[in-house]
Amino acid sequence: MAAHQSSEWRTVCEKFRLAQDLSEVESRKDPENNPFRSKYKARDLLKEIHCSLKKIQIEEEGEADSESRQMVDEGAGNECGKSCSGDSPAGLGAARLAVLQYYLGVNHIETEELSAGEQHLMNCLKLIDKCTTTRENVSLFIQARNQLGILWAGRDEIEKAQGFLEIAESMYLLYMREDGQPPLDLQDFFVLEGEELSQQEKTRSRFEMAYTHTLYYLAQVYKNLEQYERAGQYCHSTLQRQLEYKQFVPLEWAINAATLSQYYITKTRYMEARHCLAAASVIATLAGEIPSEAAAKESDAECEKREELLQKRSEIARCWIKYCLNLMQDAKKLLEDNIGELDLDRQEELKRARRNVEEEKEKGRKSAILFGSSDTFDSICSLEEKVSSMLPLDFEEARSIFLVGQSYVAQAKEYFAMDGHVTDHIEILQDHSALFKVLAFFEQDLERRCKMHKRRVDMLEPVCKDLNAQYYLLICRQLQFELAETYYEMMDLKLAVADKQDQPDVHTIKKFNNLCSSSMKYYQMFLDSIRSPEGKFPEKLEDDLLRPALVAKFRVARLQSKLISSNLATQLENLTHSLESYNFVVQYCEENPEAKNAVETELELSSEMVSLLPLKINRIRSKIASCN
């Protein structure tokens, strides 16, 4: 074309390159008090190019070719349908102007002038929508709609954003099916004759990146529309493509993959969750080794790198802990009977069923979800093999998952130490405690099970004692209740062991009473935390405290009645306190009928004990009277 040989066209191309440099390079150096200086300069250049371009096209096409000239004049006021081919001179002219409108739109959005940005992007679409889609304009078509999708999502107009992004997606799929050639890059519209266009590999990479962004934004849109299944699928596809085209930042990619694993866990899709976590762990190592403490002290850059790497890897470790914990807890739900113990018949039934179907099921699903390239695939598979994705059905299987989870607890605590990360550190301890709790379910030996609960006490009790309830009230309540429950479970286990003995010895009785007292102590601490500053218990409990508070009262009542003593006066005192606590549960539910559904079982047993305990109390009183 003549334009490519003119000095004016050379000036246009030079201005375009300068505008790109100002936007992408120089803008990073702009001062804080004038953050958009380079962006404004780039905008002025783009406007100058727009004027020059229209002038050049008029000279090239001549006055007679008014139809083509009008079509490229802002795309306003004329419709020529799709009669113009995207690779025709008129189509190329339209696309060239549309590229300028696109960059002007992005420029205005980056300088926080959203309405003006929207207008330029719509002008861009008006120009190219008049032409058939070809390799010359398909990349522009997708990128303009991506930008409009982001713009409308930012305004919380999620369905409008969805419309733009879904059209961009369908256009990519149609183009790849019908043509598939590497499309023209946006910057290739402004090159001088004799200059090389962008390499095909580079062009293809940018085009694929634009489509990857489409999928990424659609994942966010579907999440906002609460279409979580689709959001998960699009997020997975985004991550796969980022690896395939090497368009990712290792730590960012790893955190996104680990986050996706948590979605799969909620859907009990543990094979997919494990794959995401294994990939996250492997890709995170591409960010480099964690600098030593000595190196971090000598250099601010090394200090920042150490901090970031430790934090992100610890966050991934926490996701692994959740994976192991949920896998074991879901197995427990399947295997427990109506009193929370291991159902041996159910266990055998599930083992038989798994042998028959699980292997084929895994093969079929795995082919659809794989991450990784040739240099990471083996590492990801190797890490996956270290932990099962199948629900554990016996102690040995549960223990192997527990040990993996426990190793990640140690890793997570490297960054989330008690000093500086109190809440996170305690949450990790609570997950560690929960791992022991669910492992104990699979253990048949009562003494060993009791020791596992003792490990829970040992890790939580020191923290509970040291924590300031004024600043960490919610966490203190959680720890108090969990410690009370743990001692309560240990008491039940000791009771079961004692029942197998003809006559419990003094040591066993003392141990049993200590467990009862410790459980009551923490339940009472929990209940006292609900009281007003004046020490008054609330007449009406808040919804989130209703069940925990009434359960605590019920269990205190049961514990008081279980205390073993040969002294009749002590027995009378314990049973009297027990009756008071049972009475509290019954009276509260009578005064607040809506509470009955929250503690149905506890209320039924409390009502029964309120009837029975007075008889027992009277018998002890009679014995005391006869002794006197």
Side-chain angles (χ1 to χ4, degrees), residues 326-358:
N326 280 273
L327 187 60
M328 293 170 71
Q329 286 175 336
D330 282 346
K332 177 179 179 288
K333 288 173 192 171
L334 275 181
L335 290 164
E336 66 187 351
D337 58 21
N338 57 359
I339 58 167
E341 291 295 320
L342 181 63
D343 186 329
L344 296 176
D345 292 337
R346 178 73 174 142
Q347 182 186 47
E348 197 52 46
E349 179 191 329
L350 287 169
K351 281 187 174 182
R352 282 197 302 272
R354 186 171 71 183
R355 282 194 290 270
N356 295 335
V357 302
E358 201 63 47

Side-chain angles (χ1 to χ4, degrees), residues 12-26 38-39 41-47 49 100 103 107:
V12 163
C13 293
E14 287 172 356
K15 283 182 178 179
F16 182 81
R17 278 196 287 267
L18 180 56
Q20 292 293 100
D21 186 65
L22 283 164
S23 284
E24 296 173 13
V25 181
E26 294 301 317
S38 298
K39 299 283 185 186
K41 287 180 182 177
R43 182 188 300 177
D44 291 339
L45 287 171
L46 290 170
K47 287 179 178 178
I49 296 168
L100 289 172
Y103 280 118
N107 180 284

Side-chain angles (χ1 to χ4, degrees), residues 411-423:
Q411 191 174 317
K413 287 197 288 189
E414 283 182 38
Y415 178 78
F416 294 109
M418 191 68 173
D419 184 15
H421 301 279
V422 175
T423 305

Side-chain angles (χ1 to χ4, degrees), residues 140-293:
L140 179 59
F141 188 106
I142 290 170
Q143 290 187 59
R145 280 175 165 76
N146 280 355
Q147 289 292 339
L148 284 162
I150 299 166
L151 182 70
W152 285 107
R155 293 168 169 170
D156 285 333
E157 295 274 0
I158 304 301
E159 290 181 356
K160 279 190 179 180
Q162 179 186 6
F164 283 111
L165 293 167
E166 286 181 345
I167 292 173
E169 179 190 24
S170 61
M171 182 51 62
Y172 171 87
L173 296 172
L174 181 66
Y175 177 78
M176 294 304 290
R177 187 167 61 246
E178 296 186 352
D179 191 321
Q181 297 180 72
L184 200 64
D185 195 70
L186 271 58
Q187 296 179 14
D188 288 341
F189 282 97
F190 295 93
V191 293
L192 293 166
E193 190 174 2
E195 286 186 350
E196 286 187 16
L197 297 177
S198 300
Q199 293 178 351
Q200 281 201 355
E201 265 185 44
K202 195 173 182 182
T203 301
R204 167 68 77 189
S205 177
R206 284 180 181 164
F207 180 57
E208 296 298 348
M209 185 187 289
Y211 179 59
T212 301
H213 287 158
T214 306
L215 299 181
Y216 173 79
Y217 302 134
L218 276 170
Q220 312 311 309
V221 162
Y222 293 136
K223 182 181 175 183
N224 282 315
L225 292 172
E226 298 182 3
Q227 297 178 23
Y228 298 118
E229 186 72 26
R230 291 185 80 182
Q233 290 168 0
Y234 276 76
C235 187
H236 201 115
S237 297
T238 300
L239 292 168
Q240 280 178 317
R241 289 177 60 83
Q242 286 174 335
L243 280 186
E244 182 183 351
Y245 294 104
K246 294 181 170 57
Q247 300 165 345
F248 65 94
V249 177
L251 286 182
E252 183 183 312
W253 190 96
I255 291 297
N256 286 335
T259 303
L260 180 59
S261 77
Q262 304 305 286
Y263 163 75
Y264 284 131
I265 287 170
T266 65
K267 298 297 179 183
T268 66
R269 291 166 61 178
Y270 287 104
M271 189 182 64
E272 289 91 332
R274 180 184 65 175
H275 189 66
C276 287
L277 286 168
S281 294
V282 170
I283 298 302
T285 64
L286 301 181
E289 291 295 318
I290 298 174
S292 66
E293 283 189 54

Side-chain angles (χ1 to χ4, degrees), residues 303-567:
C303 183
E304 284 179 22
K305 184 180 180 183
R306 177 181 168 80
E307 176 84 2
E308 184 181 31
L309 288 175
L310 274 174
Q311 180 181 351
K312 300 303 182 189
R313 290 181 187 179
S314 294
E315 286 173 3
I316 294 167
R318 292 183 73 177
C319 291
W320 272 112
I321 297 167
K322 293 294 186 188
Y323 169 86
C324 295
L325 180 56
N326 280 273
L327 187 60
M328 293 170 71
Q329 286 175 336
D330 282 346
K332 177 179 179 288
K333 288 173 192 171
L334 275 181
L335 290 164
E336 66 187 351
D337 58 21
N338 57 359
I339 58 167
E341 291 295 320
L342 181 63
D343 186 329
L344 296 176
D345 292 337
R346 178 73 174 142
Q347 182 186 47
E348 197 52 46
E349 179 191 329
L350 287 169
K351 281 187 174 182
R352 282 197 302 272
R354 186 171 71 183
R355 282 194 290 270
N356 295 335
V357 302
E358 201 63 47
E359 195 172 325
E360 287 303 314
K361 185 178 169 187
E362 181 160 340
K363 279 181 188 173
R365 282 165 63 193
K366 200 161 188 176
S367 61
I369 64 155
L370 294 178
F371 285 136
S373 52
S374 55
D375 50 344
T376 58
F377 183 77
D378 289 345
S379 300
I380 292 171
C381 289
S382 175
L383 192 52
E384 283 184 288
E385 288 168 6
K386 291 182 179 179
V387 61
S388 175
S389 65
M390 294 185 287
L391 297 177
L393 298 180
D394 58 35
F395 180 78
E396 287 307 316
E397 290 178 1
R399 182 175 177 274
S400 68
I401 294 165
F402 166 85
L403 290 173
V404 172
Q406 186 166 247
S407 70
Y408 283 111
V409 167
Q411 191 174 317
K413 287 197 288 189
E414 283 182 38
Y415 178 78
F416 294 109
M418 191 68 173
D419 184 15
H421 301 279
V422 175
T423 305
D424 290 299
H425 183 83
I426 292 173
E427 283 176 4
I428 293 165
L429 288 182
Q430 288 173 309
D431 283 342
H432 195 187
S433 169
L435 282 168
F436 271 109
K437 181 180 180 180
V438 72
L439 181 64
F441 166 81
F442 290 91
E443 176 56 71
Q444 296 298 291
D445 185 286
L446 299 184
E447 289 289 356
R448 285 179 62 187
R449 196 191 293 189
C450 204
K451 286 176 183 175
M452 291 178 193
H453 290 305
K454 181 64 168 64
R455 290 288 300 276
R456 297 171 62 201
V457 168
D458 290 344
M459 70 176 74
L460 297 179
E461 203 162 41
V463 178
C464 188
K465 286 176 180 175
D466 292 343
L467 210 57
N468 188 328
Q470 186 178 347
Y471 300 108
Y472 298 102
L473 177 61
L474 182 60
I475 295 173
C476 282
R477 283 177 178 169
Q478 289 172 353
L479 292 175
Q480 288 158 0
F481 199 91
E482 183 169 354
L483 281 164
E485 275 192 320
T486 308
Y487 276 119
Y488 188 86
E489 289 182 57
M490 290 170 72
M491 177 276 294
D492 267 340
L493 289 168
K494 288 294 180 186
L495 190 61
V497 171
D499 285 344
K500 294 178 181 179
Q501 300 173 356
D502 293 335
Q503 183 68 39
D505 56 30
V506 175
H507 175 75
T508 302
I509 291 171
K510 185 179 179 183
K511 184 75 175 172
F512 178 81
N513 283 343
N514 283 340
L515 291 171
C516 287
S517 298
S518 295
S519 183
M520 283 193 288
K521 179 182 80 171
Y522 282 108
Y523 275 130
Q524 198 56 55
M525 286 171 69
F526 171 79
L527 290 166
D528 288 343
S529 78
I530 300 171
R531 296 180 185 277
S532 69
E534 295 75 36
K536 189 179 178 186
F537 201 80
E539 290 182 11
K540 190 170 179 63
L541 291 160
E542 295 173 17
D543 289 346
D544 60 331
L545 289 170
L546 175 62
R547 177 167 171 75
L550 293 179
V551 166
K553 274 288 187 184
F554 168 80
R555 288 184 178 170
V556 165
R558 182 168 180 259
L559 288 160
Q560 285 164 331
S561 69
K562 290 291 180 185
L563 286 166
I564 301 172
S565 175
S566 57
N567 184 289

